[in-house]
Every structure is written in C-alpha cells, then in structure tokens.
Amino acid sequence: MDTKDLLSEQIAYYRARANEYDEWFLRQGRYDRGPELNARWQSEVTEVRVALDAFNLTGDILELACGTGLWTEQLTQTASSITAIDSSPEMIELNRQRLIGKKNIRYVQTNIFDWKPDRQYDNIFFSFWLSHVPHEQFDAFWNSVRQALRPGGSIFVIDSLYDEQSTARNHHLPDKEATILERRLNSGEIYHVVKVFYTPDELTQRLALLGLQADLTQTSRFFLYGIVY
Ligand SMILES: C[S@@+](CC[C@H](N)C(=O)[O-])C[C@H]1O[C@@H](n2cnc3c(N)ncnc32)[C@H](O)[C@@H]1O
C-alpha cells in the first residue's frame, strides 16, 4: 500500500476508534489479558508515570498526537501551557472533556505529517506516536520536532515495545520487522496502521544519525521511554 494511503487509513482508524481507545490502556474488553498481566501492565504504566513526574516537564509544552488525554492530564501538573495536536476531532473532544476546568490548553487539529511548527516550546512530549511514523518520514518528523523545540529543551517519548500481549487478543502481531499492522475495532472493522517497534538502543542509534542525543530505557515488558535532546 502507498504510504500516503496508509497514513490516511491510520488517521481514519483513530477517528473511528476514539470512543473505544482507552480500553487498550485500561486493559478492558479485548485488551484484558488476565489479572497477572493486567497488573504487570499497570505497574509498568506507574513506572513510566513516576519517571515523567521526576523529569518535571515545565513551561510551554507541545504534545503531539495527544489522543484522549491519558497523558495530557499528567502534563498539566507541571506545564504552564499545553498545545495539544491530533488529527482526530473525536480524540480532541475526548481530551477536552477529560481536561475540563484545566487552563492554558490549546488544541490544534492537524495532520502531523503536514504540520509546520509556528513557534517554539520549552519541552515536547509524545506517547505511542513515534511507532506510527513510517521509516521514510522519520527524519522529516524529527526535523519538525527540532524546529519546534527551544534551545535547551527536551523531548519526552513513550512508546510500545514489541510484545504480543500489549495489543488486543484478536490482533495478530507479525514479526518485529513488519511495519504495517492490521487493526480491528470492536465492531470487527479492519484498518491498517504503521507500527515501527524500537528497542531503546535501536532508537538511540537512529536518533544519533540525526545528531540527537537520547537517554532511553524500558520497562520490563511493555514500554520504551525517556528523553531526547
Ligand atoms: C496510539 S494513539 C496515542 C494517543 C495518546 N498519545 C496516548 O498515549 O494515549 C495515536 C494518536 O495519533 C493520532 N494520529 C494518527 N495519525 C495522525 C496524524 N497523521 N497526525 C496527527 N495525529 C495523528 C490519533 O488520532 C491518535 O490520537
């Protein structure tokens, strides 16, 4: 499939999935992997949340692909302002509802692959987004991110590690090098998305080619996280 069509399908998938998106994160329905694995997932989420708190992302923060706000909410605890970008109006609406009463949040509905930063931010955050950036867009994406970052700022990244139990029970995980995955909604409707899995070392090496430094780590099973600067 042509990359442009694939990225359009990825946008359509998340628009259609917005109302069921949190089931993945909360390990509900098709994503329920039983008490033991659900507890492990939860404890790894806590590990990442603690690391994000400790890093203390302050100032004007740009969040790319903000989704329903599962992490935006945490960012509000340290940020002076948040600019939250997503291509899905449905996701943005859910994010807005989750953050009702919080001040200084600006939403921008746009396709990140067409986005040109119009200002710089103190720090940048994105979770479970980088794996949806195809290899051929990787450099252009990071160049835009760099343009949006004030000198001295950091980028906090969270993403999925390659693990079959991370996704729904009715999703098939092909080998790690495959970059197009089939995804289903609760209705059974099928979409295709980009999914590039990195280990912390692989991502660090790829970023080094762009002159970016990274301090990345991983939880025992599900998540990669850390800082790029
Ligand atoms: C896996 S979700 C991550 C959401 C959120 N960051 C989180 O951790 O819960 C990916 C998000 O990327 C958004 N997205 C997909 N393609 C996009 C694009 N081309 N431009 C902007 N956002 C996009 C989706 O709408 C969705 O909200």
Side-chain angles (χ1 to χ4, degrees), residues 28-70:
Q28 294 170 344
R30 294 180 291 136
Y31 305 92
D32 180 347
R33 294 294 190 152
E36 201 178 312
L37 272 182
N38 293 349
R40 176 186 279 271
W41 174 278
Q42 192 45 54
S43 94
E44 294 188 22
V45 168
T46 301
E47 179 183 335
V48 180
R49 288 205 183 278
V50 167
L52 177 59
D53 269 345
F55 196 73
N56 196 27
L57 280 189
T58 55
D60 296 328
I61 294 184
L62 173 66
E63 182 182 13
L64 297 175
C66 61
T68 65
L70 291 164

Side-chain angles (χ1 to χ4, degrees), residues 5-31:
D5 291 345
L6 181 59
L7 293 177
S8 297
E9 191 167 329
Q10 179 160 274
I11 288 174
Y13 166 65
Y14 279 109
R15 291 195 64 180
R17 187 182 161 201
N19 276 309
E20 55 191 73
Y21 178 78
D22 288 2
E23 292 171 15
W24 161 73
F25 194 69
L26 301 174
R27 307 277 89 186
Q28 294 170 344
R30 294 180 291 136
Y31 305 92

Side-chain angles (χ1 to χ4, degrees), residues 68-112:
T68 65
L70 291 164
W71 297 88
T72 320
E73 192 169 31
Q74 186 172 346
L75 296 176
T76 64
Q77 291 164 18
T78 50
S80 316
S81 79
I82 297 177
T83 297
I85 292 183
D86 203 286
S87 54
S88 161
E90 296 81 3
M91 289 284 190
I92 287 177
E93 185 49 33
L94 289 165
N95 192 308
R96 206 189 292 279
Q97 283 168 23
R98 189 190 297 273
L99 270 67
I100 274 176
K102 305 276 187 196
K103 295 201 179 76
N104 297 328
I105 302 178
R106 178 173 73 111
Y107 292 97
V108 179
Q109 188 212 322
T110 190
N111 181 343
I112 288 171

Side-chain angles (χ1 to χ4, degrees), residues 49-176:
R49 288 205 183 278
V50 167
L52 177 59
D53 269 345
F55 196 73
N56 196 27
L57 280 189
T58 55
D60 296 328
I61 294 184
L62 173 66
E63 182 182 13
L64 297 175
C66 61
T68 65
L70 291 164
W71 297 88
T72 320
E73 192 169 31
Q74 186 172 346
L75 296 176
T76 64
Q77 291 164 18
T78 50
S80 316
S81 79
I82 297 177
T83 297
I85 292 183
D86 203 286
S87 54
S88 161
E90 296 81 3
M91 289 284 190
I92 287 177
E93 185 49 33
L94 289 165
N95 192 308
R96 206 189 292 279
Q97 283 168 23
R98 189 190 297 273
L99 270 67
I100 274 176
K102 305 276 187 196
K103 295 201 179 76
N104 297 328
I105 302 178
R106 178 173 73 111
Y107 292 97
V108 179
Q109 188 212 322
T110 190
N111 181 343
I112 288 171
F113 298 111
D114 297 335
W115 161 74
K116 297 272 171 283
D118 60 351
R119 54 158 290 187
Q120 290 192 312
Y121 297 85
D122 295 311
N123 292 292
I124 300 179
F125 174 91
F126 39 92
S127 49
F128 307 100
W129 166 248
L130 185 62
S131 51
H132 292 308
V133 176
H135 282 303
E136 58 267 43
Q137 300 277 351
F138 186 91
D139 293 8
F141 170 70
W142 280 100
N143 282 334
S144 298
V145 169
R146 248 203 294 225
Q147 280 168 32
L149 187 65
R150 273 200 192 119
S154 301
I155 305 149
F156 197 100
V157 181
I158 306 171
D159 221 307
S160 317
L161 293 172
Y162 180 79
D163 191 302
E164 181 123 49
Q165 314 283 329
S166 178
T167 187
R169 289 193 303 269
N170 64 346
H171 286 162
H172 165 65
L173 189 65
D175 69 74
K176 184 174 174 292

